[in-house]
Amino acid sequence: MAGQPVKRGLAGVTLDYIGSKYVNAGPEQCSYTTQAVQIPMSDGAKLAADFYDPELPDDQEPSGLIMIQCCYGRGSGISFLNARVFAARGYRALFVSTRGTHGSEGTFSPGLNEASDSQDIVKWMRQQPWYTGTFATMGASYLGYSQWALLVDPPADCVAAVIPVGPHDQAFHAWGTGSFRLDRAPWSDMMSRGPEERGSFLERLSRLPGLNFLAPKELEKALEALPLEASLQEYFKDRAPWLFEYLKNPDIDGPYWSTRRQHAALERLDIPILLVGGWYDPFETQTLHQYKRLSERGVDVNLIVGPWNHVQGCGLRSIPEILDFFGQHLAKKGDYGRSRARIFVTGAEEWRSMPTWPPNTESKPMYLQDSAGLDSELPGEDASSASFVFDPRNPTPSIGGNQMSSSGRVDDSVYATRSDVLAFTSKPLPEDLEILGTPSVQLSHSSDPAFADLFLRLSEVDENGVSHNVTEMYKALDPKRDMSKPLHLDLQDCAHRFKAGKSIRLVIAGGSFPMFARSLGTEEDRVRSDKIVPQTHTITIAAGVSQLNLPVYSPA
């Protein structure tokens, strides 16, 4: 079933012109028509979609076909970035709404049906008169996850993929740290609202986690209350049943998550792929894992990582590169012409072209000092330990970093003023220090009780004492760990130049709320209990047993 093709109107022309200027897409090549279609699935459900067809001279063929699967609607804002910008440059685009969303039949169950539905979409495409034999895929975030689900069984006629800030593993995002990632609740709130409640694309963005000043106050209160699961159940009622399955399944290797983890795609795909990430994106770790594994297999993979949060990384800053990538690998008319890894180095505020990521580096240890210092010199055998208390009733706040929306490089100086945080700060550096790769921490750490979490952040402190974040990590600690042995913890990858005169700071805390469900300090389930025990954390410093290791890069 299909409607009649509709020519682009004046409003569409205007929006496309403004949008193209904003994303630096360059001049249009043509106009296009849009046709509403319904795509039958093997189980009888029909998915709603829009087919974009460029209006080209009779002697000119389209540049190729791009397939996009989206759970956020097909309105003007999101369709510009995913379909219209390409249609106006000669590409056909099929923009499909995910099962159970925005006119598509069936029930939306995140991660469950994308693999089978995407294969059905491909089968249907092959039967259409406009299908020319090959296609590429495109889409960011959940749209990227849908691509990974397709690529578990890669169709032979899929010739390229562009995946900005797209996770392949839903379990890892939800529970990979050992604590539940609370951004799943605001996302579920947005996804479970009816059409009359969803509003515009920008209004839906405002409900994403992190934009707390725009999120429903009732949901904020639900996230703060204990027990967490009961509080969320009271808020959601019968909406978003998947959220409560998430809460019931903290074991990421368990059967519930098996269909929602697409690691097999990293072992099977063998097509050119462009990955786009952001240093402040919540899926940064997954994007860099994807690049590493595909590179190891010899896949034709390119990587861009910018100083972006999740929304910025969705393609707003990389459309020129995406167009060039499709020009070479789909249209067969151009040359991508970029290095394998194009990396933005914060601090230096410059883009860097590299043959791979990360480059070779040397580890530079900096030792925690008993005066809250950080230095390359070993502290003495008599250096005093440092401690703090994490109180679940007043959890350490999430500030910037890798949250979903209120993220990025921010002033996090307040951490150094809190009694539930340790902030170890170096003296001003005598010369520039550039780090590219994975900082790590060796920490001689104990907690009382044993049930505790750790949040670590690497920050830069300027000459005025103002601190800004560089990278971070979070981990729920194993209560059965041997506390006599040091912890070895990797922070997320970063690329940063600490300029001469700046200082390096390591922040250590027992939580980051509301990014993660707080540790309650008991053996009871953190999402089902309301019992709270404050946790005393102790860091042993004597003789350099606790240290920060920096991956220092030198062109020489």
Side-chain angles (χ1 to χ4, degrees):
M1 184 185 300
Q4 292 298 313
V6 178
K7 290 181 176 292
R8 180 175 59 163
L10 179 60
V13 171
T14 303
L15 183 59
D16 287 352
Y17 176 81
I18 295 171
S20 294
K21 288 289 186 182
Y22 182 77
V23 301
N24 196 28
E28 292 187 353
Q29 298 177 12
C30 59
S31 189
Y32 56 83
T33 61
T34 308
Q35 182 180 22
V37 299
Q38 290 195 331
I39 305 173
M41 299 290 101
S42 55
D43 66 351
K46 294 180 180 178
L47 303 189
D50 294 323
F51 174 62
Y52 291 79
D53 200 10
E55 295 185 310
L56 298 167
D58 292 341
D59 61 349
Q60 185 176 343
E61 292 292 324
S63 297
L65 171 65
I66 304 171
M67 169 183 154
I68 311 101
Q69 300 176 73
C70 179
C71 62
Y72 301 121
R74 304 187 311 281
S76 57
I78 197 164
S79 66
F80 167 75
L81 198 61
N82 288 284
R84 299 202 329 261
V85 68
F86 302 106
R89 285 152 187 85
Y91 292 91
R92 286 174 173 155
L94 182 66
F95 194 33
V96 187
S97 281
T98 303
R99 175 184 290 258
T101 71
H102 300 274
S104 287
E105 296 174 353
T107 301
F108 179 62
S109 182
L112 181 62
N113 298 296
E114 281 73 15
S116 58
D117 284 355
S118 60
Q119 296 291 341
D120 286 346
I121 295 169
V122 172
K123 292 176 184 177
W124 178 85
M125 285 196 311
R126 291 170 179 155
Q127 300 170 1
Q128 305 314 304
W130 41 258
Y131 187 65
T132 55
T134 62
F135 70 98
T137 60
M138 160 71 195
S141 192
Y142 195 95
L143 289 67
Y145 171 80
S146 298
Q147 292 181 74
W148 289 118
L150 170 68
L151 294 171
V152 165
D153 185 12
D157 42 353
C158 181
V159 297
V162 173
I163 306 183
V165 296
H168 61 281
D169 188 339
Q170 292 193 10
F172 181 82
H173 182 71
W175 281 104
T177 65
S179 177
F180 185 64
R181 183 125 187 173
L182 292 176
D183 62 21
R184 297 302 80 199
W187 182 81
S188 297
D189 186 43
M190 175 185 70
M191 292 303 302
S192 62
R193 292 179 178 271
E196 70 284 352
E197 298 177 285
R198 289 178 180 139
S200 70
F201 178 59
L202 290 177
E203 289 171 330
R204 295 197 303 275
L205 277 181
S206 75
R207 299 192 193 103
L208 285 173
L211 288 178
N212 293 325
F213 59 92
L214 292 174
K217 293 295 182 183
E218 295 81 3
L219 180 53
E220 288 185 34
K221 293 177 181 178
L223 290 170
E224 293 169 358
L226 296 174
L228 176 63
E229 183 183 54
S231 176
L232 289 174
Q233 191 73 67
E234 176 66 23
Y235 174 81
F236 279 92
K237 308 298 185 186
D238 59 350
R239 293 189 296 120
W242 62 82
L243 175 62
F244 300 95
E245 292 299 319
Y246 292 174
L247 293 171
K248 292 174 184 175
N249 288 280
D251 179 7
I252 65 175
D253 295 317
Y256 173 78
W257 293 108
S258 60
T259 59
R260 296 166 173 85
R261 311 186 75 190
Q262 310 303 340
H263 289 265
L266 302 179
E267 307 303 323
R268 296 174 183 170
L269 74 84
D270 191 20
I271 58 174
I273 185 167
L274 173 61
L275 301 173
V276 181
W279 292 130
Y280 311 111
D281 173 55
F283 303 118
E284 176 211 342
T285 297
Q286 293 201 46
T287 298
L288 294 178
H289 173 76
Q290 294 156 12
Y291 175 78
K292 179 177 184 293
R293 183 63 193 127
L294 294 175
S295 295
E296 290 172 345
R297 290 186 50 235
V299 174
D300 183 358
V301 56
N302 287 88
L303 173 70
I304 301 171
V305 186
W308 304 321
N309 61 23
H310 186 64
V311 173
Q312 293 167 335
C314 281
L316 292 175
R317 302 288 189 268
S318 52
I319 285 294
E321 288 87 352
I322 293 171
L323 284 166
D324 287 347
F325 183 84
F326 280 144
Q328 175 177 340
H329 297 293
L330 182 58
K332 309 297 184 182
K333 296 178 181 177
D335 181 9
Y336 179 66
R338 270 81 168 183
S339 59
R340 287 295 180 187
R342 186 166 175 262
I343 305 297
F344 189 87
V345 182
T346 56
E349 304 306 304
E350 65 183 32
W351 286 96
R352 196 81 54 80
S353 294
M354 303 178 186
T356 190
W357 174 265
N360 291 327
T361 58
E362 293 186 3
S363 180
K364 175 182 174 61
M366 299 191 74
Y367 301 97
L368 280 60
Q369 309 290 324
D370 60 358
S371 55
L374 194 62
D375 199 281
S376 58
E377 298 295 325
L378 281 168
E381 295 281 355
D382 58 349
S384 301
S385 299
S387 64
F388 66 92
V389 176
F390 174 77
D391 186 349
R393 291 166 295 192
N394 181 28
T396 314
S398 306
I399 304 173
N402 293 83
Q403 299 184 73
M404 186 64 78
S405 292
S406 64
S407 52
R409 182 179 182 272
V410 300
D411 181 345
D412 63 0
S413 305
V414 68
Y415 278 142
T417 69
R418 290 183 61 95
S419 61
D420 59 352
V421 173
L422 296 176
F424 296 88
T425 308
S426 74
K427 296 176 182 177
L429 297 173
E431 58 185 13
D432 289 2
L433 180 69
E434 189 166 283
I435 60 172
L436 304 176
T438 310
S440 64
V441 172
Q442 174 181 296
L443 211 59
S444 181
H445 169 273
S446 63
S447 67
D448 183 18
F451 302 92
D453 296 356
L454 273 176
F455 171 69
L456 305 182
R457 172 173 283 184
L458 181 65
S459 295
E460 177 186 80
V461 184
D462 67 19
E463 295 83 350
N464 298 314
V466 178
S467 173
H468 289 86
N469 52 302
V470 175
T471 187
E472 61 194 42
M473 65 79 61
Y474 195 95
K475 185 175 180 62
L477 301 176
D478 182 356
K480 298 178 181 179
R481 67 194 184 277
D482 183 350
M483 295 189 198
S484 68
K485 296 180 179 179
L487 296 170
H488 296 273
L489 304 167
D490 288 339
L491 282 72
Q492 295 177 156
D493 277 21
C494 64
H496 185 78
R497 181 184 296 171
F498 294 92
K499 291 187 176 180
K502 303 293 179 67
S503 299
I504 299 169
R505 172 173 289 170
L506 178 65
V507 169
I508 304 176
S512 179
F513 182 85
M515 187 151 41
F516 295 99
R518 73 203 95 169
S519 169
L520 303 183
T522 75
E523 64 181 350
E524 296 186 28
D525 191 323
R526 70 176 65 204
V527 304
R528 294 183 180 84
S529 176
D530 60 358
K531 294 182 179 179
I532 285 176
V533 177
Q535 303 130 50
T536 300
H537 293 251
T538 301
I539 309 297
T540 302
I541 292 171
V545 292
S546 294
Q547 63 189 64
L548 167 68
N549 294 289
L550 299 173
V552 176
Y553 176 76
S554 173

